[in-house]
């Protein structure tokens, strides 16, 4: 078999075993994928996930960094950001999540992390463009639109919040949280 075919098979087997929760087997096949073709970030992302499942954040960080050095992706940025956040480095994590959201506006880990950190670090205004970009790609993501409305409220722009909430209610008239927020800003 060619090296690339070996790589693909081993990577896929690693993903299957990871999905099934068999961490030792997943790790074995991800390592085989790395040794058959060490120029792709995916097996390192898989090894990082295995390490996280085992509670080994130091090894997970090393694997995310290896993946990132091969090819920076929204997944590697989000992984590094999650570990930084877990270790209490919120200021260091925030720009990583922002970059991940720029690379892939549909990366929900990055989006929800910037929403959380935007509020915690009082940087809500900075995250609004990322939420707008995500909605340009997928306008039906009500949870993102609802978060955007909340950011507008925090920024003092109740009119922009109202517009977003009305879009949610137009698509889903029973969306309780949107109805509640709309009632709050209209009172």
């Amino acid at each position: 078999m060619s090296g690339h075919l070996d790589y693909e098979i081993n990577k896929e087997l690693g993903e299957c075993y990871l999905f099934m929760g068999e961490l030792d087997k997943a790790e074995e096949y991800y390592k085989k994928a790395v040794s058959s073709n060490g120029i792709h970030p995916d097996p390192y992302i898989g090894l990082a996930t295995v390490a996280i499942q085992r509670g080994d954040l130091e090894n997970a960080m090393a694997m995310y960094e290896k993946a990132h050095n091969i090819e920076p992706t929204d997944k590697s940025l989000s992984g590094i950001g999650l570990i930084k956040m877990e270790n209490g480095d919120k200021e260091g994590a925030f720009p990583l999540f922002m970059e991940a959201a720029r690379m892939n506006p549909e990366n929900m880990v990055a989006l929800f992390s910037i929403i959380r950190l935007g509020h915690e670090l009082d940087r809500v205004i900075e995250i609004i463009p990322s939420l707008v970009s995500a909605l340009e790609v997928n306008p039906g993501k009500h949870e993102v639109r609802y978060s955007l409305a909340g950011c507008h409220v925090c920024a003092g722009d109740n009119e922009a919040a109202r517009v977003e909430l009305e879009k949610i209610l137009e698509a889903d008239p029973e969306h309780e949280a949107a109805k509640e927020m709309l009632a709050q800003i209209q009172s």
Side-chain angles (χ1 to χ4, degrees):
M1 272 192 272
S2 75
H4 185 71
L5 186 56
D6 283 346
Y7 163 77
E8 288 294 331
I9 290 169
N10 288 319
K11 181 184 71 122
E12 292 298 322
L13 285 168
E15 289 173 3
C16 288
Y17 281 115
L18 182 62
F19 180 75
M20 293 186 302
E22 295 191 32
L23 301 181
D24 290 340
K25 284 287 201 185
E27 181 178 39
E28 175 187 338
Y29 282 102
Y30 282 133
K31 284 181 176 179
K32 285 181 181 180
V34 165
S35 67
S36 63
N37 190 345
I39 57 168
H40 293 287
D42 294 344
Y44 292 107
I45 298 284
L47 287 168
T49 304
V50 168
I52 286 172
Q53 298 272 331
R54 291 180 171 152
D56 184 356
L57 296 183
E58 188 176 320
N59 189 35
M61 179 66 98
M63 293 299 108
Y64 279 128
E65 287 173 342
K66 281 185 180 185
H68 191 76
N69 288 335
I70 292 169
E71 179 184 350
T73 66
D74 63 301
K75 289 179 183 178
S76 63
L77 287 164
S78 292
I80 294 168
L82 286 171
I83 293 171
K84 283 185 177 282
M85 198 164 64
E86 182 68 26
N87 289 332
D89 184 7
K90 295 176 182 178
E91 288 288 348
F94 186 76
L96 297 170
F97 290 124
M98 291 292 287
E99 180 61 25
R102 270 191 288 282
M103 289 176 93
N104 178 5
E106 293 185 286
N107 181 324
M108 297 308 283
V109 170
L111 288 175
F112 287 125
S113 296
I114 64 172
I115 292 165
R116 175 182 165 189
L117 291 176
H119 287 281
E120 289 178 14
L121 300 173
D122 197 29
R123 296 173 75 174
V124 172
I125 292 172
E126 293 176 52
I127 68 174
I128 290 174
S130 295
L131 300 178
V132 169
S133 294
L135 290 168
E136 287 171 356
V137 174
N138 189 345
K141 286 279 190 191
H142 297 317
E143 64 274 15
V144 174
R145 191 171 302 281
Y146 180 78
S147 295
L148 176 59
C151 290
H152 283 311
V153 170
C154 290
D157 191 350
N158 287 353
E159 179 57 25
R162 183 191 60 75
V163 169
E164 298 303 333
L165 294 168
E166 287 178 352
K167 287 179 184 177
I168 293 170
L169 293 170
E170 184 179 304
D172 180 6
E174 300 305 313
H175 195 287
E176 288 302 318
K179 287 196 276 190
E180 289 173 19
M181 188 185 294
L182 187 57
Q184 286 176 348
I185 64 174
Q186 289 178 335
S187 62

